[in-house]
Amino acid sequence: MCTVTIVPRKGDGFRLVCNRDERRTRPPALAPRAHRLRRLTATFPVDPLAGGTWIGVNARGLAMAILNRNVAADGHRALSGPLRTSRSTIIPALLDYGTLEEALAVGRTLAPSRFAPFRLVAVQGSRVSAIVSDGRALSSNHWAIDRPLLFTSSSLGDALVDAPRRRAFAGLVLQSRDAWLGGQALFHRARSPEQPELGVVMCRQDAATVSRTVVDVDGEAIAVEYEPIPLRDHSVPPRSSSEAVAAVVT
């Protein structure tokens, strides 16, 4: 359950933002820090239950986010047998590769039956790719980052939230090329008072948006900003960005 956007910056830079939605009973994640992998260093937050992550970036500017897939056609397969591996382990394994092509080549060797359905989004430079699993097979898509991109999911069903969040994305982000980054920031704070379960910052009895992670990559620096959203904040306006926790990749 996440909402992920990618907005191009000047040159080959980009900003990747992820709102993470989780069950209220899940313990808070550990804030991003640098992790030494076998080959490279990568910065990412950690889910304390599964030990993996839903978003991260390595020292080569390769960034990734993973979303659950909740599609009616996938449902039977996803529940038909034991899941041996958490989806959160995928990103740490792939961030150990320096290029998008290398990471995708390894990602395409994943056995889809080992994981619940997912959509893995990877971005480097001016290119974005997604590896999509329905639990039976993998497929992939590729884009040039010439305009903002949106990916979203919900345990209520991806189709239910896609249309309203895409309308908000069009209204807040796509209207003006000069304001893409500002619109992206507004979008990831957007709520739906009438239907709070559909908002980009979502809220319902069993789940809520629990954090916002921003990955900035440009020609000079790579930075990760992480903002936890306490459950009590779902009845008050979101915290200001000045209260965020920041980490810089070195």
Side-chain angles (χ1 to χ4, degrees), residues 82-245:
L83 300 175
R84 294 178 292 171
T85 308
S86 169
R87 289 169 288 201
S88 72
T89 62
I90 294 173
I91 287 179
L94 297 185
L95 285 181
D96 206 20
Y97 295 88
T99 68
L100 180 63
E101 291 81 5
E102 290 175 316
L104 291 176
V106 176
R108 293 189 190 101
T109 69
L110 293 171
S113 61
R114 294 178 58 198
F115 306 92
F118 65 84
R119 184 186 308 274
L120 174 72
V121 179
V123 53
Q124 188 176 45
S126 59
R127 297 165 299 155
V128 179
S129 295
I131 295 177
V132 181
S133 169
D134 63 3
R136 298 180 297 271
L138 299 177
S139 60
S140 58
N141 306 99
H142 310 279
W143 303 267
I145 315 178
D146 54 6
R147 60 184 289 134
L149 297 172
L150 166 67
F151 307 88
T152 193
S153 68
S154 170
S155 61
L156 297 176
D158 296 352
L160 181 67
V161 300
D162 188 82
R165 291 176 184 174
R166 205 161 289 279
R167 285 194 296 269
F169 187 69
L172 291 171
V173 183
L174 298 180
Q175 291 299 311
S176 170
R177 186 183 185 96
D178 294 334
W180 278 352
L181 290 172
Q184 184 186 35
L186 291 174
F187 173 76
H188 279 274
R189 296 180 180 276
R191 298 170 183 257
S192 177
E194 296 79 15
Q195 295 180 291
E197 71 279 6
L198 304 184
V200 182
V201 178
M202 59 80 65
C203 178
R204 60 179 204 249
Q205 187 173 11
D206 63 331
T209 301
V210 297
S211 67
R212 183 180 300 107
T213 307
V214 180
V215 176
D216 263 311
V217 177
D218 62 28
E220 299 180 355
I222 301 168
V224 179
E225 183 180 275
Y226 179 74
E227 184 180 0
I229 304 175
L231 294 177
R232 65 177 182 272
D233 284 11
H234 287 282
S235 59
V236 297
R239 301 194 309 173
S240 68
S241 58
S242 63
E243 298 178 72
V245 176

